[in-house]
Amino acid sequence: MKILTEHIDVPNIDSIDVFMKHGGYSAVTKAIKKMTPDEVTEEVKKSGLRGRGGAGFPVGMKWSFLAKPEGVPRYLVCNADESEPGTFKDHYLMWKSPHTLIEGMIVSSYALGANTSYIYVRGELMYVINILEKAIQEAYDKGLLGKNILGSGYDLDLFVQPGGGAYICGEETALLESLEGKRGNPRNKPPFPAVKGLWQCPTVVNNVESIAATSWIVNNGGDAYAAIGVGRSTGTKLISASGHIKKPGVYEIPLGITVEDFIYSDEWCGGIRDGHKLKAVVAGGSSVPILPAELILTTAAGEKRLMTYESLSDGGFATGTMLGSGGFVVMDETACIVHNTLTFAKFYHHESCGQCSPCREGTGWMDKVLHRIEHGQGRKEDIDLLVDVAKKIEGNTICPLGDAASWPVAAAIRHFRDEFEWHIEHPELATKPGAVFMRKGASWTK
């Protein structure tokens, strides 16, 4: 079942004429000419669509929270920052089929009563920004943006705003600060953006994939979307698959397939590279807990793990993880968990805005201690020190970056403590080029 990527490989699908030949912008016509804004919102609610940026909050419910005071403008902001390590599916969609997002922006803006909307794109992706701006101009030329769209009396202006390349601007209030021209520091909540967001006006911030899915929902109905998937995990999901697999790439999957099928099926990742075995998976981008092979394929209760929000989180953080943004990073037995954890810790240390002391100081300490262990200078007490620092960061910051930094470290130690101990007990082996810990003993490759 393809919803967002059905026509993504059609030649010149980034052109509006080709896009419209394949049914593009039919949802705009239907929404604006045949539906009220509330009816569009109701279909999105029925669909069960959940935010695809990581949090998984129901999109229609989020829209219904938008305040609508008289005489005050409302805004829709698309979060296309996508700075989560391991995640690249939004980038892929905007690059290949920019009109898929633009159509969703028009439909969603109409539903929200927004007359000005923004797409905030990670600053490193200037070529994608250029693609979007060209596509937006094509939509203006066709009368799908601007004044009196399709003779309906509805007006919408759409702008692309490059970000400064900061991970923190993936947090919605930091994004709004950046969009206003300020330093991208998260705001205290409440008030929430739905009440006071961009320029202190009611604002909805949604992810690229979430917004793009609304067009299909308008055309086919919320019930049809809800019929795809399992339980509260409805519809399809774009997954950024990378690591030690035969077929890395972006896949659109129906939610509910097994993790085992996703990794090993020829339709998806094609299995682990030849001659190697699965060791661990980071299922939803760098911020979610890593799981060893036995827990990513099967829950602690012995059930097949599914690619759904609920199944991946089964067991809590003790034995589960999160679907998150869908950044699915696969590691075979040659991967060093300590090195991987250090890489993530360095990233979060660098990207912390510094506003909250636990995150500013704690990410630095985790980086420093992990560096010590990785380079053969670790002490046994360092492992529990890392766990303690992670606990002191988690839940004690304005935004979730602190949690995102602490969860990978805590989970790596929870599931691979013996590997950290080996690094400390055998520094002469651990520091050899290509050194890899094996559960049945030490080994390394040249």
Side-chain angles (χ1 to χ4, degrees):
M1 184 70 191
K2 305 293 185 196
I3 288 176
L4 300 179
T5 61
E6 182 181 4
H7 303 298
I8 205 161
D9 291 322
V10 171
N12 300 316
I13 196 66
D14 59 332
S15 157
I16 195 168
D17 291 328
V18 175
F19 185 73
M20 292 180 78
K21 280 180 184 176
H22 288 84
Y25 290 105
S26 57
V28 172
T29 303
K30 181 178 180 180
I32 289 179
K33 291 192 171 182
K34 297 181 180 179
M35 302 173 74
T36 66
D38 286 345
E39 285 172 340
V40 175
T41 300
E42 189 57 34
E43 290 302 318
V44 174
K45 276 187 179 178
K46 278 189 202 173
S47 74
L49 174 66
R50 294 168 68 171
R52 303 303 200 217
F57 192 82
V59 173
M61 188 181 297
K62 189 173 187 178
W63 287 10
S64 68
F65 293 157
L66 186 69
K68 298 179 179 178
E70 294 241 355
V72 177
R74 298 167 222 151
Y75 297 100
L76 170 65
V77 177
C78 174
N79 184 348
D81 190 67
E82 197 177 41
S83 296
E84 179 85 355
T87 309
F88 44 88
K89 41 94 179 177
D90 292 342
H91 166 200
Y92 178 76
L93 187 65
M94 292 185 291
W95 164 40
K96 288 284 191 177
S97 186
H99 288 286
T100 300
L101 172 58
I102 294 166
E103 181 177 21
M105 288 294 294
I106 299 169
V107 167
S108 303
S109 298
Y110 172 72
L112 296 167
N115 299 113
T116 304
S117 296
Y118 297 88
I119 304 173
Y120 183 95
V121 184
R122 181 172 152 195
E124 291 91 338
L125 301 179
M126 278 311 299
Y127 81 99
V128 171
I129 291 168
N130 293 335
I131 289 169
L132 284 171
E133 288 182 335
K134 177 177 177 289
I136 287 171
Q137 186 57 54
E138 289 180 331
Y140 270 104
D141 294 343
K142 292 283 187 181
L144 295 162
L145 284 171
K147 299 289 184 184
N148 194 26
I149 296 173
L150 301 177
S152 65
Y154 174 63
D155 305 335
L156 175 64
D157 286 312
L158 179 60
F159 302 95
V160 180
Q161 175 61 45
Y167 174 78
I168 193 64
C169 290
E171 195 279 333
E172 61 179 9
T173 61
L175 186 157
L176 296 177
E177 288 285 292
S178 177
L179 196 53
E180 292 177 4
K182 305 170 191 170
R183 179 184 171 91
N185 280 1
R187 300 173 181 173
N188 277 308
K189 292 183 284 190
F192 291 90
V195 178
K196 289 191 175 182
L198 189 63
W199 294 299
Q200 299 300 300
C201 296
T203 304
V204 166
V205 181
N206 277 138
N207 158 267
V208 170
E209 187 183 348
S210 311
I211 291 171
T214 60
S215 301
W216 193 94
I217 292 167
V218 166
N219 276 332
N220 297 277
D223 290 335
Y225 190 88
I228 307 164
V230 176
R232 290 173 52 244
S233 293
T234 63
T236 65
K237 177 81 182 77
L238 295 179
I239 303 292
S240 313
S242 63
H244 298 144
I245 48 177
K246 292 180 181 177
K247 295 167 56 184
V250 176
Y251 296 101
E252 184 174 9
I253 65 166
L255 287 169
I257 66 170
T258 67
V259 173
E260 186 172 7
D261 278 349
F262 181 65
I263 294 175
Y264 291 100
S265 167
D266 289 337
E267 185 178 0
W268 314 112
C269 300
I272 308 303
R273 58 181 180 166
D274 291 339
H276 296 282
K277 294 181 179 179
L278 178 65
K279 178 177 182 177
V281 170
V282 175
S286 64
S287 60
V288 309
I290 189 172
L291 285 184
E294 62 272 18
L295 285 177
I296 192 64
L297 299 177
T298 310
T299 68
E303 297 176 353
K304 289 279 189 182
R305 187 85 71 175
L306 306 181
M307 294 290 283
T308 66
Y309 292 94
E310 292 76 26
S311 182
L312 283 168
S313 64
D314 184 89
F317 281 0
T319 59
T321 184
M322 298 166 66
L323 180 60
S325 60
F328 199 87
V329 184
V330 180
M331 304 175 204
D332 66 23
E333 80 284 0
T334 67
C336 175
I337 300 300
V338 176
H339 179 76
N340 178 77
T341 308
L342 170 60
T343 300
F344 286 167
K346 280 185 177 295
F347 173 81
Y348 288 110
H349 180 204
H350 181 268
E351 294 296 332
S352 173
C353 75
Q355 188 175 195
C356 305
S357 299
C359 182
R360 182 184 66 244
E361 303 300 329
T363 54
W365 273 106
M366 289 195 299
D367 181 1
K368 187 181 296 185
V369 175
L370 282 163
H371 184 274
R372 195 159 67 205
I373 295 172
E374 167 72 356
H375 290 84
Q377 299 163 353
R379 305 168 302 190
K380 281 198 173 179
E381 57 266 31
D382 283 343
I383 299 175
D384 289 329
L385 175 61
L386 283 167
V387 173
D388 187 55
V389 172
K391 284 180 181 176
K392 286 180 166 61
I393 300 172
E394 184 182 355
N396 292 312
T397 55
I398 290 173
C399 87
L401 189 144
D403 295 343
S406 59
W407 291 342
V409 174
I413 294 172
R414 183 182 309 123
H415 299 298
F416 297 95
R417 190 182 185 102
D418 52 355
E419 189 158 341
F420 285 82
E421 290 172 346
W422 178 78
H423 270 256
I424 292 168
E425 292 166 0
H426 302 281
E428 71 288 351
L429 297 178
T431 53
K432 282 181 177 289
V436 177
F437 170 80
M438 301 293 184
R439 288 239 156 134
K440 292 184 179 179
S443 176
W444 59 90
T445 56
K446 293 183 180 179

